[in-house]
PDB file of all heavy atoms in Angstrom:
ATOM      1  N   ILE L 245      36.621   9.073   6.362  1.00  0.00           N
ATOM      2  CA  ILE L 245      37.548   8.886   7.476  1.00  0.00           C
ATOM      3  C   ILE L 245      37.670  10.181   8.215  1.00  0.00           C
ATOM      4  O   ILE L 245      38.231  11.185   7.721  1.00  0.00           O
ATOM      5  CB  ILE L 245      38.975   8.391   6.956  1.00  0.00           C
ATOM      6  CG1 ILE L 245      38.866   7.252   6.017  1.00  0.00           C
ATOM      7  CG2 ILE L 245      39.999   8.173   8.060  1.00  0.00           C
ATOM      8  CD1 ILE L 245      40.090   6.837   5.299  1.00  0.00           C
ATOM      9  N   SER L 246      37.222  10.161   9.404  1.00  0.00           N
ATOM     10  CA  SER L 246      37.202  11.444  10.221  1.00  0.00           C
ATOM     11  C   SER L 246      38.640  11.739  10.698  1.00  0.00           C
ATOM     12  O   SER L 246      39.566  10.942  10.562  1.00  0.00           O
ATOM     13  CB  SER L 246      36.215  11.384  11.463  1.00  0.00           C
ATOM     14  OG  SER L 246      36.926  10.562  12.440  1.00  0.00           O
ATOM     15  N   ALA L 247      38.716  12.959  11.395  1.00  0.00           N
ATOM     16  CA  ALA L 247      40.116  13.363  11.849  1.00  0.00           C
ATOM     17  C   ALA L 247      40.631  12.286  12.931  1.00  0.00           C
ATOM     18  O   ALA L 247      41.911  12.380  12.918  1.00  0.00           O
ATOM     19  CB  ALA L 247      39.985  14.872  12.474  1.00  0.00           C
ATOM     20  N   THR L 248      39.938  11.569  13.596  1.00  0.00           N
ATOM     21  CA  THR L 248      40.464  10.559  14.568  1.00  0.00           C
ATOM     22  C   THR L 248      40.542   9.216  13.904  1.00  0.00           C
ATOM     23  O   THR L 248      40.965   8.299  14.569  1.00  0.00           O
ATOM     24  CB  THR L 248      39.357  10.413  15.716  1.00  0.00           C
ATOM     25  OG1 THR L 248      38.088   9.965  15.254  1.00  0.00           O
ATOM     26  CG2 THR L 248      39.291  11.783  16.506  1.00  0.00           C
ATOM     27  N   GLY L 249      40.150   9.129  12.489  1.00  0.00           N
ATOM     28  CA  GLY L 249      40.100   7.766  11.930  1.00  0.00           C
ATOM     29  C   GLY L 249      41.557   7.602  11.311  1.00  0.00           C
ATOM     30  O   GLY L 249      42.213   8.304  10.946  1.00  0.00           O
ATOM     31  N   LEU L 250      41.774   6.133  11.202  1.00  0.00           N
ATOM     32  CA  LEU L 250      42.881   5.593  10.597  1.00  0.00           C
ATOM     33  C   LEU L 250      42.459   4.342   9.710  1.00  0.00           C
ATOM     34  O   LEU L 250      41.812   3.518  10.383  1.00  0.00           O
ATOM     35  CB  LEU L 250      43.940   5.211  11.608  1.00  0.00           C
ATOM     36  CG  LEU L 250      45.106   4.225  10.965  1.00  0.00           C
ATOM     37  CD1 LEU L 250      45.980   5.023  10.018  1.00  0.00           C
ATOM     38  CD2 LEU L 250      45.991   3.788  12.231  1.00  0.00           C
ATOM     39  N   VAL L 251      42.851   4.335   8.455  1.00  0.00           N
ATOM     40  CA  VAL L 251      42.686   3.134   7.661  1.00  0.00           C
ATOM     41  C   VAL L 251      43.935   2.795   7.076  1.00  0.00           C
ATOM     42  O   VAL L 251      44.654   3.635   6.441  1.00  0.00           O
ATOM     43  CB  VAL L 251      41.525   3.390   6.482  1.00  0.00           C
ATOM     44  CG1 VAL L 251      41.453   2.159   5.659  1.00  0.00           C
ATOM     45  CG2 VAL L 251      40.225   3.822   7.213  1.00  0.00           C
ATOM     46  N   GLU L 252      44.398   1.532   7.350  1.00  0.00           N
ATOM     47  CA  GLU L 252      45.737   1.257   6.918  1.00  0.00           C
ATOM     48  C   GLU L 252      45.561  -0.277   6.290  1.00  0.00           C
ATOM     49  O   GLU L 252      45.086  -1.156   7.030  1.00  0.00           O
ATOM     50  CB  GLU L 252      46.676   1.179   8.147  1.00  0.00           C
ATOM     51  CG  GLU L 252      47.987   0.814   7.736  1.00  0.00           C
ATOM     52  CD  GLU L 252      49.029   0.956   8.980  1.00  0.00           C
ATOM     53  OE1 GLU L 252      48.512   0.523  10.085  1.00  0.00           O
ATOM     54  OE2 GLU L 252      50.090   1.550   8.872  1.00  0.00           O
ATOM     55  N   GLY L 253      46.164  -0.405   5.128  1.00  0.00           N
ATOM     56  CA  GLY L 253      46.020  -1.832   4.594  1.00  0.00           C
ATOM     57  C   GLY L 253      46.527  -1.866   3.090  1.00  0.00           C
ATOM     58  O   GLY L 253      46.857  -0.839   2.582  1.00  0.00           O
ATOM     59  N   PRO L 254      46.362  -3.006   2.542  1.00  0.00           N
ATOM     60  CA  PRO L 254      46.860  -3.004   1.105  1.00  0.00           C
ATOM     61  C   PRO L 254      46.095  -2.310   0.107  1.00  0.00           C
ATOM     62  O   PRO L 254      46.656  -1.790  -0.892  1.00  0.00           O
ATOM     63  CB  PRO L 254      46.853  -4.586   0.889  1.00  0.00           C
ATOM     64  CG  PRO L 254      45.899  -5.217   1.792  1.00  0.00           C
ATOM     65  CD  PRO L 254      45.933  -4.303   3.043  1.00  0.00           C
ATOM     66  N   GLU L 255      44.636  -2.331   0.314  1.00  0.00           N
ATOM     67  CA  GLU L 255      43.860  -1.640  -0.733  1.00  0.00           C
ATOM     68  C   GLU L 255      42.515  -1.000  -0.116  1.00  0.00           C
ATOM     69  O   GLU L 255      42.041  -1.746   0.777  1.00  0.00           O
ATOM     70  CB  GLU L 255      43.585  -2.544  -1.800  1.00  0.00           C
ATOM     71  CG  GLU L 255      42.856  -1.994  -2.944  1.00  0.00           C
ATOM     72  CD  GLU L 255      42.769  -2.978  -4.161  1.00  0.00           C
ATOM     73  OE1 GLU L 255      41.796  -3.823  -4.201  1.00  0.00           O
ATOM     74  OE2 GLU L 255      43.574  -2.899  -5.119  1.00  0.00           O
ATOM     75  N   VAL L 256      42.046   0.054  -0.560  1.00  0.00           N
ATOM     76  CA  VAL L 256      40.774   0.701  -0.297  1.00  0.00           C
ATOM     77  C   VAL L 256      40.061   0.918  -1.478  1.00  0.00           C
ATOM     78  O   VAL L 256      40.605   1.640  -2.403  1.00  0.00           O
ATOM     79  CB  VAL L 256      40.989   1.831   0.578  1.00  0.00           C
ATOM     80  CG1 VAL L 256      39.698   2.649   0.865  1.00  0.00           C
ATOM     81  CG2 VAL L 256      41.665   1.542   2.029  1.00  0.00           C
ATOM     82  N   ARG L 257      38.859   0.525  -1.695  1.00  0.00           N
ATOM     83  CA  ARG L 257      38.090   0.840  -2.776  1.00  0.00           C
ATOM     84  C   ARG L 257      36.685   1.377  -2.353  1.00  0.00           C
ATOM     85  O   ARG L 257      36.002   0.963  -1.488  1.00  0.00           O
ATOM     86  CB  ARG L 257      37.842  -0.454  -3.676  1.00  0.00           C
ATOM     87  CG  ARG L 257      38.887  -1.016  -4.243  1.00  0.00           C
ATOM     88  CD  ARG L 257      38.483  -2.173  -5.181  1.00  0.00           C
ATOM     89  NE  ARG L 257      39.614  -2.769  -5.916  1.00  0.00           N
ATOM     90  CZ  ARG L 257      39.877  -2.224  -7.162  1.00  0.00           C
ATOM     91  NH1 ARG L 257      39.135  -1.301  -7.754  1.00  0.00           N
ATOM     92  NH2 ARG L 257      41.016  -2.742  -7.879  1.00  0.00           N
TER      93      ARG L 257
END
Side-chain angles (χ1 to χ4, degrees):
I245 303 169
S246 75
T248 61
L250 165 69
V251 176
E252 180 177 47
E255 187 170 82
V256 171
R257 291 182 174 271

